[in-house]
Amino acid sequence: MGSPKLETLVPLLPSFAFCLVLLVIIPSCSVPAYASILETQSLLIWKSSLQKQNQSTSSLSSWTLPPQNARDFNATLACPCGWYGISCNQAGSVIGINLTSSNIRGTLNEFLFSSLPCLAYVDLHINELFGYIPPQVSLLTNLTYLDLSFNQLSGIIPQEIGGLTKLEVLDLAVNELNGYIPDEIGQLRLLNELALFSNQLDGCLPSSLGNLSSLARLSISNNSFSGSIPLEMGNLTNLEEINMGGNSMKGPIPPTFGKLMKLTKLHLYCNKLTGFLPPMLGNLKLLRELNLHCNNLYGSIPSTLGNLTELTLLYLLDNHLSGYIPDELGNLRAMIQLKLNHNQLIGRIPHSLGNLTYLRYLFLAIINSQV
């Protein structure tokens, strides 16, 4: 749908006098004075495309224009700034839309992204949005927060999303998205959180993920990603949490993960990872959770894991690990859950495990064990 026609806007001008005065006096976001008219009309157009939103009980019942000749005319309501879920800057331009859990059912097809140039915050999670993510989302060049999680969106992640270079949070989790992560995701240098878990995404992880130097939380679990974990991810030294469980990732755990000194959670469970446990994981002194269960890892448990004194959860079960349980695991005095069963471990159970006074769950299976 194109831009609103002039003949459509003219009848609305009296209702927007209040907004226009604000915009002329306090210009912001480099938008023209008629911007509030365009913003209001674009929001009303999107509302009209949604299902069951014209009822008085709908969450968007405030999204309407008051009668121009009404005695109780409220000029503030002529702007969208007084509507449910809408926030504005001092100039009266829309900068935020928060419609979390608002029973919104419909698509984003009629959302006129080009009419909302100042929009910085969009939270539409836990609704019933379906259809695809329009590539025109890239027109929201001031966007810092985008949460479309827990909906029914399908199709691909548009490559145009790489144009949102101010984005700090991107949450598309728990939808029905498919295809691969576009390489352009690496252009989001300010991204702090990327959540894509519980979709139908596949393909290899792009090496451009290694460009996300501000990334602190990455969650892509419960998809169908394959291929190896990019070595470039070792460049993400601000990472605090990684969750890649429930995919089909192959190859070794990158030794470059040993450089992620801020990491507190590393979950790579239920993949097809092979190779040895990198001894460099022992460098991650802030790590609290290490979950590698249900892979094809082999070799011994490195004694350097005993350096992880903040660790509360260690899951290495359902692999092909062999050799002895290192005595150094007795240094993990914060440990609450330790699961090493379903491997080929041998020898005695170290007496040092008696130091784990906070331990609540212990699963061991030792061949020819000796206490």
Side-chain angles (χ1 to χ4, degrees):
M1 183 175 295
S3 300
K5 296 181 179 178
L6 182 59
E7 57 267 27
T8 305
L9 298 176
V10 169
L12 299 177
L13 287 173
S15 298
F16 292 111
F18 178 77
C19 287
L20 291 177
V21 170
L22 283 176
L23 284 167
V24 170
I25 295 175
I26 315 174
S28 179
C29 199
S30 302
V31 295
Y34 60 82
S36 186
I37 300 175
L38 297 176
E39 290 175 342
T40 301
Q41 190 181 49
S42 66
L43 291 172
L44 291 175
I45 288 173
W46 183 53
K47 175 190 173 182
S48 68
S49 75
L50 301 173
Q51 299 177 15
K52 299 180 180 180
Q53 288 301 328
N54 292 319
Q55 303 172 3
S56 59
T57 57
S58 78
S59 57
L60 302 186
S61 59
S62 63
W63 287 31
T64 186
L65 293 176
Q68 295 176 20
N69 298 322
R71 291 183 180 179
D72 59 348
F73 176 80
N74 186 339
T76 303
L77 294 179
C79 296
C81 305
W83 294 354
Y84 169 77
I86 301 297
S87 56
C88 297
N89 59 18
Q90 288 183 319
S93 271
V94 175
I95 59 171
I97 300 177
N98 187 345
L99 298 175
T100 301
S101 302
S102 297
N103 297 314
I104 304 296
R105 179 169 176 77
T107 73
L108 296 172
N109 298 351
E110 300 299 322
F111 194 100
L112 302 180
F113 298 95
S114 60
S115 299
L116 296 159
C118 295
L119 198 57
Y121 183 99
V122 175
D123 191 343
L124 300 176
H125 86 279
I126 312 180
N127 282 292
E128 297 180 63
L129 294 174
F130 56 90
Y132 62 93
I133 300 173
Q136 291 83 1
V137 69
S138 63
L139 298 176
L140 301 178
T141 53
N142 285 298
L143 202 62
T144 63
Y145 187 102
L146 179 59
D147 189 345
L148 303 176
S149 63
F150 291 86
N151 280 287
Q152 299 157 22
L153 296 168
S154 57
I156 64 170
I157 300 173
Q159 63 183 20
E160 289 82 358
I161 211 161
L164 302 176
T165 54
K166 295 183 180 180
L167 207 59
E168 297 174 8
V169 173
L170 176 59
D171 192 341
L172 305 178
V174 194
N175 278 287
E176 299 169 11
L177 299 172
N178 55 51
Y180 54 88
I181 298 176
D183 286 336
E184 289 78 4
I185 204 87
Q187 298 171 19
L188 307 181
R189 303 295 180 98
L190 300 181
L191 202 63
N192 179 267
E193 180 174 346
L194 177 59
L196 304 175
F197 62 88
S198 297
N199 277 285
Q200 299 165 17
L201 299 168
D202 56 24
C204 296
L205 299 182
S207 59
S208 62
L209 285 176
N211 298 331
L212 304 181
S213 55
S214 300
L215 198 65
R217 287 173 293 279
L218 173 65
S219 184
I220 60 173
S221 60
N222 299 325
N223 281 286
S224 298
F225 292 117
S226 57
S228 58
I229 300 173
L231 290 173
E232 291 83 355
M233 290 189 63
N235 299 330
L236 306 181
T237 53
N238 285 307
L239 269 175
E240 299 173 10
E241 299 179 10
I242 297 176
N243 193 339
M244 297 184 180
N247 284 288
S248 298
M249 306 293 295
K250 300 179 181 179
I253 298 171
T256 53
F257 273 17
K259 298 190 297 180
L260 306 179
M261 305 301 290
K262 295 183 180 180
L263 209 59
T264 63
K265 295 182 181 180
L266 178 56
H267 290 199
L268 304 177
Y269 60 86
C270 294
N271 278 284
K272 300 178 181 179
L273 299 174
T274 56
F276 298 95
L277 284 178
M280 291 74 74
L281 293 181
N283 297 335
L284 309 180
K285 301 297 180 63
L286 299 180
L287 201 63
R288 295 196 300 268
E289 297 181 6
L290 178 58
N291 189 345
L292 306 177
H293 86 266
C294 196
N295 278 288
N296 297 313
L297 300 170
Y298 52 80
S300 61
I301 299 174
S303 61
T304 54
L305 294 188
N307 298 331
L308 306 178
T309 54
E310 299 294 320
L311 209 59
T312 62
L313 181 150
L314 177 60
Y315 284 4
L316 301 179
L317 65 154
D318 291 312
N319 279 285
H320 304 293
L321 299 173
S322 57
Y324 298 91
I325 298 176
D327 288 333
E328 288 80 1
L329 293 191
N331 298 331
L332 308 180
R333 295 174 183 267
M335 184 64 64
I336 297 174
Q337 301 184 54
L338 176 61
K339 297 185 179 182
L340 307 178
N341 50 309
H342 297 159
N343 282 289
Q344 285 90 50
L345 300 172
I346 61 172
R348 63 181 180 85
I349 299 174
H351 292 290
S352 61
L353 295 186
N355 298 331
L356 310 184
T357 56
Y358 290 101
L359 199 62
R360 294 294 178 268
Y361 300 94
L362 175 62
F363 291 83
L364 302 175
I366 310 296
I367 300 173
N368 297 324
S369 65
Q370 300 176 21
V371 179

